[in-house]
Amino acid sequence: MAAGIKALTEAGLLGPLPGGVPPEGDLAAAFADRLREAIARDELWLAYQPQADAHTGRLTGFEALVRWRLPDGTVVPPDVFVPMAEAGEGIHILGDWVLRRACETAAGWLQAGLVDVPVAVNLSSRQLEDPVLARTVLGVLTETGLPAANLKLELTETVLFQGGDAARQSLLELRGAGVRLVLDDFGTGYSSLALLRRVPVEALKIDKHFVEAMVEDRDAAAIVHAIVALAHALGLQVIAEGVETAEQLLFLRAYRCDRIQGYHFSRPLPPADVPAFIARNAGSPPAG
């Protein structure tokens, strides 16, 4: 907690804290107010990292990644402010804003005839606990005009494992409406096969640490190969994140991984750069 407060203070997201550290609840409430202020001042923005077919290089979607730029130009990393938001109401403020902005942007691409691919948004455990989650998501889709099939919600194994029956019901309702679900960071959490049977995910994302290590580490390579085989046996697609080199891509192609995401294909893009990226990659040859 103390380390997180120090990082937030140094980043300029919290003012001085006279009299010692306040109770956690008070700090979370203060940070929620700071998030509202950041939204009002347009300090938050989304970067969009492209995903591609591992074998053809065809653009298959984007993941929306939240960024925070302070008035002095400093960009605060998500691993500094997202954990603090998750400590209280801030994660709902942040999550609702990310969802709405991503859907608005993707709907704009579709209406402009730029591209018809889904945008992925990350969902936290606290958001999944919200009893009105399905209503909120479907309401945003209706208001923005984005088709449900053009939205993917990414959830980690830990989030799904900790979620109760109400959370699973929300996911079933969203899936029934056409929203697509992806299990993120597969292999780093509980990796429960029973979980894959209970929650209607369409794809698994292999954690980047396995992808980074697989060229040099036989165990990591075996894990990646096994995850791809397991997913395909269950009728699921596989997305490898953190793909940075041509050699990693060759391994993933050999293992029949479906899609890739990472610097080898593209870094996260500001919204203004997406149209030009789409134009450059229309009918592109295989990545790498």
Side-chain angles (χ1 to χ4, degrees), residues 49-52 240-244 260-268:
Q49 186 162 34
Q51 298 173 345
E241 58 183 342
V243 182
E244 297 186 354
I260 61 167
Q261 177 180 340
Y263 287 4
H264 185 66
F265 184 54
S266 174
R267 291 175 177 269

Side-chain angles (χ1 to χ4, degrees), residues 266 269 273-285:
S266 174
L269 304 169
D273 291 352
V274 170
F277 176 86
I278 293 170
R280 288 196 306 271
N281 286 274
S284 62

Side-chain angles (χ1 to χ4, degrees), residues 100 104 107 111 135-146:
R100 182 172 294 277
E104 288 173 347
Q111 292 160 9
R135 189 190 315 163
T136 298
V137 172
L138 297 179
V140 169
L141 290 173
T142 299
E143 293 167 19
T144 60
L146 184 70

